């Protein structure tokens, strides 16, 4: 039986990846921080099938000990301070988790289990002010937020450990991917949650920032598949992963409100306070390499995903009323 260690197991991607690996017969270990309170909501249904272990991306010793004890075949680093707006208010903490945290876990792998295959969750936010469209593996990075800068560090330190120490270490440069498990602070879920509440008469408006910002949005359940595929290749290689199609925030709200028969113009308020200090206007992937090498393609369309999220939020709020 193969074994996998997942940091960020309680997050959106971590929960889908844990389910995916369990279905493939893996022994799954999930890393959580040792705190007085844990939110296991996303993995509650599989808690009896995975092993939860305590470690912290801020603590080198804890990571090394956990990896030495488990000796995993695969390590997936999905943990980070991942909310881009928060990276401006907490830039140092973002750097500690999202940048230096990658170094700590790579060092733990190097010291305690160098044969393990390592996956780093890189981000399309590394492209920032894009130098070419669409963005591919050879596109230069120009991050526009402390989060994006930290992800660039995490990406290059992964390359460095691969080339310096011979580790099987890869980065997936994943474009935005969403689901009903997305945190409500992210714009897709903020919108679908608000649509559900507005439809049920629990609120009347939702305040948003830049409606013209464009992203390449896919379904998180599809994207954990490609993480696994990357670690099954004969040689380690980095990949851009996305749908190759961009949509605006305006498209998002139009589909979400339209799904419940509402006109978004009556309920969306553009709030200048929600604009980013440095905006990333448009991101869209060129996933040619991932499709060719990994045989991967998305199965859920943007429209299907948004409707799925609205339906899930409607059900959630109806259960509470």
């Amino acid at each position: 039986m193969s074994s996998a260690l997942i940091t960020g197991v309680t997050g959106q991607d971590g929960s889908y990846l844990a389910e995916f690996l369990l279905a493939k017969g893996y022994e799954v270990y999930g890393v959580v921080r040792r705190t007085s309170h844990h939110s296991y909501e996303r993995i509650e249904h599989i808690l009896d099938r995975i092993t939860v272990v305590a470690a912290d991306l801020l603590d080198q010793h804890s990571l090394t000990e956990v990896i030495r004890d488990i000796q995993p075949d695969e390590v997936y680093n999905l943990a980070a301070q991942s909310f881009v707006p928060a990276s401006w208010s907490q830039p140092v903490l973002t750097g500690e988790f999202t940048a230096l945290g990658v170094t700590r876990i790579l060092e733990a792998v190097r010291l305690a289990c160098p044969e393990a295959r390592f996956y780093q969750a890189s981000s399309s936010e590394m492209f920032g002010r894009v130098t070419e469209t669409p963005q591919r593996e050879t596109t230069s990075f120009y991050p526009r937020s402390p989060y994006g800068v930290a992800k660039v560090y995490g990406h290059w330190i992964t390359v460095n450990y691969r080339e310096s120490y011979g580790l099987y270490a890869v980065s997936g440069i994943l474009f935005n991917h969403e689901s009903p498990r997305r945190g409500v602070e992210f714009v897709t879920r903020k919108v679908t949650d608000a649509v559900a509440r507005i439809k049920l008469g629990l609120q009347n408006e939702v305040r948003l920032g830049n409606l013209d910002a464009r992203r390449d949005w896919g379904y998180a359940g599809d994207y954990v598949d490609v993480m696994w595929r990357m670690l099954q290749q004969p040689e380690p290689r980095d990949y851009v992963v996305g749908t190759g199609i961009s949509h605006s925030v305006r498209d998002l709200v139009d589909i979400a409100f339209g799904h419940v028969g509402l006109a978004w113009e009556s309920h969306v308020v553009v709030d200048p306070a929600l604009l980013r200090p440095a905006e990333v206007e448009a991101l869209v992937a060129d996933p040619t390499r991932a499709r060719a090498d990994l045989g991967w393609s998305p199965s859920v369309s943007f429209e299907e995903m948004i409707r799925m999220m609205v339906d899930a939020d409607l059900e959630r709020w109806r259960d509470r009323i």
Side-chain angles (χ1 to χ4, degrees):
M1 179 184 291
S2 297
S3 61
L5 179 74
I6 304 171
T7 71
V9 72
T10 61
Q12 170 189 255
D13 290 9
S15 64
Y16 280 112
L17 180 60
E19 288 177 345
F20 179 87
L21 294 175
L22 286 171
K24 287 195 170 293
Y26 276 66
E27 187 173 3
V28 177
Y29 297 85
V31 173
V32 298
R33 300 177 69 194
R34 193 183 298 281
T35 63
S36 59
H37 173 73
H38 291 297
S39 175
Y40 290 142
E41 179 183 359
R42 295 184 182 95
I43 59 169
E44 192 172 3
H45 62 296
I46 56 171
L47 266 177
D48 60 338
R49 300 170 60 201
I50 70 173
T51 303
V52 174
V53 294
D56 196 320
L57 287 185
L58 302 186
D59 178 33
Q60 179 70 65
H61 178 73
S62 68
L63 293 169
T64 305
E65 287 297 299
V66 161
I67 289 175
R68 179 174 287 124
D69 290 345
I70 295 171
Q71 292 293 300
D73 297 298
E74 297 170 1
V75 176
Y76 296 85
N77 183 38
L78 309 185
Q81 191 300 101
S82 59
F83 185 45
V84 176
S87 73
W88 275 286
S89 60
Q90 295 181 300
V92 175
L93 184 67
T94 298
E96 286 286 355
F97 276 112
T98 309
L100 291 177
V102 185
T103 310
R104 294 187 188 103
I105 193 163
L106 279 166
E107 186 69 357
V109 170
R110 183 183 75 85
L111 292 171
C113 190
E115 297 305 311
R117 296 192 169 197
F118 176 83
Y119 173 86
Q120 164 61 14
S122 287
S123 168
S124 59
E125 288 287 328
M126 300 189 305
F127 295 122
R129 179 184 282 177
V130 299
T131 58
E132 64 175 347
T133 298
Q135 295 86 54
R136 52 185 63 88
E137 290 81 4
T138 55
T139 303
S140 59
F141 299 139
Y142 195 146
R144 297 270 281 169
S145 66
Y147 170 79
V149 171
K151 279 293 186 182
V152 169
Y153 176 98
H155 179 87
W156 281 117
I157 199 66
T158 302
V159 173
N160 188 259
Y161 268 67
R162 177 171 72 219
E163 295 180 349
S164 300
Y165 300 116
L167 297 184
Y168 190 111
V170 301
S171 288
I173 306 174
L174 270 55
F175 281 62
N176 294 63
H177 44 287
E178 318 296 321
S179 75
R181 299 180 192 175
R182 189 55 133 164
V184 291
E185 67 272 22
F186 292 86
V187 67
T188 48
R189 182 71 195 294
K190 179 180 180 179
V191 168
T192 63
D193 183 70
V195 165
R197 288 176 54 83
I198 291 168
K199 180 65 176 179
L200 297 173
L202 301 174
Q203 69 184 63
N204 188 54
E205 68 177 31
V206 58
R207 306 183 78 83
L208 300 173
N210 182 10
L211 298 185
D212 295 319
R214 301 186 68 87
R215 294 292 184 272
D216 183 332
W217 275 297
Y219 172 56
D222 287 336
Y223 285 46
V224 297
D225 177 9
V226 84
M227 297 175 189
W228 176 79
R229 290 179 187 231
M230 287 175 63
L231 294 192
Q232 313 313 309
Q233 302 308 299
E235 299 295 331
R237 196 177 191 190
D238 304 325
Y239 291 90
V240 160
V241 179
T243 68
I245 304 169
S246 73
H247 296 274
S248 67
V249 176
R250 185 176 279 101
D251 295 334
L252 161 65
V253 298
D254 187 50
I255 293 167
F257 278 92
H259 184 52
V260 296
L262 296 174
W264 67 266
E265 295 89 345
S266 302
H267 302 282
V268 173
V269 177
V270 175
D271 186 349
L274 297 177
L275 298 176
R276 296 182 180 183
E279 184 58 84
V280 175
E281 295 293 344
L283 294 172
V284 59
D286 177 359
T288 301
R289 180 189 288 182
R291 291 178 188 241
D293 290 3
L294 308 177
W296 176 86
S297 60
S299 66
V300 178
S301 72
F302 175 70
E303 294 79 7
E304 290 170 333
M305 178 185 69
I306 297 304
R307 294 177 188 128
M308 175 200 307
M309 293 172 67
V310 171
D311 289 341
D313 281 320
L314 278 168
E315 183 178 354
R316 187 177 295 110
W317 281 109
R318 282 179 179 135
D319 289 344
R320 296 180 183 180
I321 296 174

